[in-house]
């Protein structure tokens, strides 16, 4: 009985923590459904006593705002390639470090691990000069390259540790059946590494989608990602809350939906790759 009561209390506590964590998102959603005058006059909790304030007019204004809608497209054009490249290159490198023999393999892996602790801020100035020299500064391609480069160390570390847990006997049996490295990677390693690869894709997607620092410096000022576009709206139109609230909610809800849809794969992949 005591154990059951303790379990029930723990569930109630976790539900309260979850509601507290979601409170800013709920507040932003309700604010996005209120008019600008209502937002300026009272807090979002007023809708519980005055539900007639709720309206979808703000989202119509959002769709009419070419800056915000264009920035959403720019964000997708940056996030999808950055995630794809990190997953593909990280998978290939992780397999190589786990199961292929080449000179200096362990030392190169130590270099990769060392790169995990390098902060993004350290590279902003030298990479800006490099991108300016080769002509990709303030371009979508430059932002993609930056995110890919800084996402690869974690990707390689995660996937190498996960792939190393695959039984050697399974790989040797595939080699005896005539499988080469490419077929071994695509037919054996990739299917078994699904949870880790999925978790890596989610992690990279969330990081790139929510990034503002890199986008603010390297992205094209004419077609910025959503984070930069919202920041510019705040700076230039401080009273444009009826566009900012729905824009911020749309920017937030997409990565939240991705995370909640694949959270099981995310947790299992991270635990299997980084803890074992």
């Amino acid at each position: 009985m005591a154990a059951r009561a303790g379990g029930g209390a723990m569930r109630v506590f976790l539900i309260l923590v979850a509601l507290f964590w979601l409170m800013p998102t709920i507040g932003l959603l309700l604010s996005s459904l209120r008019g600008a005058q209502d937002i300026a006059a009272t807090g979002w909790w007023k809708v519980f006593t005055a539900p007639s304030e709720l309206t979808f007019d703000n989202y119509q204004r959002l769709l009419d705002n070419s800056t915000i809608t264009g920035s959403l497209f720019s964000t997708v054009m940056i996030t999808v390639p950055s995630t794809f490249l990190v997953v593909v290159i990280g998978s290939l490198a992780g397999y190589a470090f786990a199961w292929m023999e080449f000179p200096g393999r362990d030392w190169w892996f130590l270099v990769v691990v060392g790169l995990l602790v390098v902060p993004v801020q350290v590279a902003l100035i030298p990479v800006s000069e490099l991108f300016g020299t080769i002509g990709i500064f303030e371009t979508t391609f430059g932002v993609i390259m930056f995110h890919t480069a800084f996402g690869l160390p974690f990707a390689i570390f995660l996937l190498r540790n996960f792939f190393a847990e695959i039984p050697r006997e399974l790989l040797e049996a595939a080699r005896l059946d005539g499988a080469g490295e490419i077929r071994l990677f695509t037919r054996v390693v990739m299917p078994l590494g699904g949870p880790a690869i999925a978790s890596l894709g989610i992690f990279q997607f969330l990081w790139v989608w929510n990034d503002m620092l890199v986008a603010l410096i390297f992205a094209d000022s004419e077609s910025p990602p959503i984070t930069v576009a919202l920041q510019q709206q705040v700076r230039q139109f401080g009273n444009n809350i009826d566009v900012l609230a729905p824009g911020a909610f749309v920017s937030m809800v997409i990565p939240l939906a991705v995370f909640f849809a694949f959270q099981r794969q995310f947790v299992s992949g991270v635990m299997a790759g980084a803890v074992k």
Side-chain angles (χ1 to χ4, degrees):
M1 179 68 72
R4 183 178 301 176
M10 179 59 66
R11 292 191 191 94
V12 172
F13 174 75
L14 293 176
I15 291 173
L16 292 176
V17 170
L19 290 175
F20 180 78
W21 182 74
L22 289 173
M23 192 66 68
T25 305
I26 296 173
L28 183 61
L29 171 61
L30 296 177
S31 296
S32 70
L33 296 172
R34 304 176 72 210
Q37 294 181 348
D38 295 329
I39 295 175
T42 58
W44 57 265
W45 50 87
K46 181 69 181 302
V47 299
F48 295 110
T49 57
S52 60
E53 293 181 355
L54 298 177
T55 177
F56 287 96
D57 292 343
N58 292 344
Y59 286 91
Q60 183 60 48
R61 296 190 184 93
L62 178 69
L63 294 177
D64 295 336
N65 190 310
S66 59
T67 301
I68 299 297
T69 53
S71 67
L72 284 172
F73 178 76
S74 298
T75 306
V76 173
M77 294 301 295
I78 292 172
T79 305
V80 173
S82 299
T83 303
F84 176 79
L85 288 174
V86 166
V87 169
V88 172
I89 299 174
S91 299
L92 292 171
Y95 171 75
F97 278 114
W99 293 109
M100 295 181 67
E101 297 290 341
F102 55 90
R105 185 185 68 172
D106 295 337
W107 288 104
W108 281 113
F109 186 69
L110 287 177
V111 172
V112 172
V113 174
L115 291 175
L116 287 171
V117 302
V118 177
V120 174
Q121 293 82 355
V122 172
L124 293 178
I125 294 178
V127 174
S128 297
E129 295 178 351
L130 174 62
F131 282 6
T133 301
I134 62 179
I136 62 173
F137 186 72
E138 289 195 347
T139 64
T140 300
F141 180 75
V143 181
I144 293 172
M145 290 297 98
F146 192 97
H147 282 304
T148 301
F150 272 85
L152 281 176
F154 176 76
I156 296 172
F157 172 76
L158 175 70
L159 295 180
R160 181 266 179 192
N161 289 347
F162 190 94
F163 292 160
E165 296 296 324
I166 298 175
R168 181 180 295 273
E169 293 79 7
L170 183 62
L171 301 181
E172 293 297 335
R175 288 193 176 96
L176 289 175
D177 290 337
E181 296 296 340
I182 296 178
R183 188 175 181 183
L184 191 65
F185 174 74
T186 56
R187 299 293 183 87
V188 179
V189 175
M190 289 290 285
L192 293 175
I197 294 172
S199 67
L200 171 64
I202 296 168
F203 187 89
Q204 179 71 7
F205 180 91
L206 296 178
W207 176 52
V208 177
W209 183 279
N210 293 316
D211 169 73
M212 181 176 177
L213 177 62
V214 176
L216 188 64
I217 296 174
F218 295 99
D220 186 356
S221 57
E222 298 298 326
S223 56
I226 185 64
T227 52
V228 178
L230 291 174
Q231 185 268 343
Q232 291 174 347
Q233 292 282 317
V234 172
R235 183 180 60 196
Q236 296 176 3
F237 310 105
N239 59 351
N240 201 17
I241 189 63
D242 54 336
V243 172
L244 289 173
F249 180 76
V250 170
S251 174
M252 178 187 297
V253 75
I254 293 176
L256 279 178
V258 171
F259 176 77
F260 283 121
F262 300 100
Q263 60 176 325
R264 183 169 299 177
Q265 291 87 342
F266 178 82
V267 173
S268 63
V270 171
M271 293 296 292
V275 176
K276 284 184 179 181

